[in-house]
Amino acid sequence: MKNFIVLLSVLLIASTSFSQKKQKKEKLNLTNALVVAQLDNPDDRYSLEINLTQLLVASGIKAEPSLNYMKFGEDSKILASDSIAEIMKTKGIDTYCLVSVRGYDRRFKKTEGRENLAAALSVGGLFDLYRQDIVSISFEFKFYRNGEFVYTDMVKCGNVGDRETVLKKFRKKTGKRILKKWRKK
């Protein structure tokens, strides 16, 4: 009887760890996206949105930068409004991709927060795209469909020495991530 309980416990633990691994390998199946960079510096925000939009379009994903729908200096919370959601729906876009700089270290983990789109858009960016004397940077991506959280991912770039190197590494690593985990096949 003791052996049976031990065997049952082992099987239960193995099955839960297998199901967790299976969930982690799921793809996003991204077909369209409105790209929103959450950075305070307008130049950094523009650079990140344009680069990510170009990568998505090159991978066969319909994408647009949020800067097309906001006035300069306007709060990004406006993107959660019903009027913008209607515009996006008419353009065939139902997914929002929020990208931010998580920090300047490779040890960061994905956020576990599952807030809705309006709450996520109200969070400001703490970091710039590049800061003097950094050697690595971590980007976090959060995806929302119909205002609800669906997926998160993180891209870590090392050996960065200037702003242009950050963007170059971002394009290289994110391009691979799009093909492997985000894009619908």
Side-chain angles (χ1 to χ4, degrees):
M1 185 67 174
K2 238 191 218 181
N3 291 338
F4 177 73
I5 292 173
V6 170
L7 179 64
L8 187 62
S9 300
V10 169
L11 288 174
L12 182 64
I13 291 169
S15 69
T16 55
S17 90
F18 176 73
S19 69
Q20 287 175 353
K21 286 181 183 177
K22 186 178 177 183
Q23 288 174 357
K24 287 181 181 178
K25 294 196 179 218
E26 286 182 17
K27 284 191 170 191
L28 176 60
N29 294 326
L30 189 63
T31 58
N32 60 68
L34 178 69
V35 177
V36 182
Q38 294 185 293
L39 299 168
D40 290 335
N41 183 336
D43 291 336
D44 290 347
R45 183 176 181 175
Y46 176 81
S47 295
L48 204 54
E49 280 193 19
I50 296 303
N51 276 289
L52 184 54
T53 301
Q54 288 173 347
L55 289 169
L56 291 170
V57 169
S59 299
I61 298 168
K62 182 179 184 176
E64 290 193 40
S66 70
L67 297 170
N68 291 349
Y69 302 97
M70 294 180 359
K71 295 178 183 170
F72 185 77
E74 193 171 25
D75 192 0
S76 61
K77 286 189 281 188
I78 189 98
L79 296 171
S81 70
D82 292 338
S83 59
I84 299 290
E86 277 301 313
I87 293 170
M88 293 296 103
K89 194 177 284 185
T90 60
K91 293 193 174 247
I93 295 177
D94 66 351
T95 305
Y96 286 66
C97 172
L98 278 56
V99 58
S100 61
V101 174
R102 183 85 161 105
Y104 303 115
D105 196 344
R106 294 180 59 90
R107 292 178 282 174
F108 285 103
K109 304 288 184 214
K110 296 180 225 177
T111 359
E112 295 299 322
R114 304 288 190 242
E115 69 271 358
N116 65 14
L117 179 63
L121 286 171
S122 66
V123 175
L126 297 175
F127 302 104
D128 292 329
L129 191 58
Y130 177 74
R131 186 180 292 171
Q132 192 74 19
D133 298 327
I134 63 167
V135 292
S136 66
I137 186 168
S138 298
F139 295 95
E140 184 172 41
F141 301 88
K142 293 182 181 179
F143 295 90
Y144 294 83
R145 284 196 182 115
N146 303 318
E148 296 301 317
F149 176 84
V150 291
Y151 190 80
T152 185
D153 203 358
M154 185 169 276
V155 170
K156 301 172 185 182
C157 303
N159 298 327
V160 294
D162 57 22
R163 187 175 187 277
E164 294 307 314
T165 307
V166 169
L167 289 171
K168 182 179 172 184
K169 297 249 182 177
F170 172 82
R171 289 184 63 85
K172 182 179 179 181
K173 290 205 170 212
T174 306
K176 289 179 182 179
R177 185 64 52 98
I178 291 168
L179 295 174
K180 288 181 180 178
K181 289 189 173 186
W182 300 358
R183 186 178 66 159
K184 185 175 184 174
K185 286 192 176 186

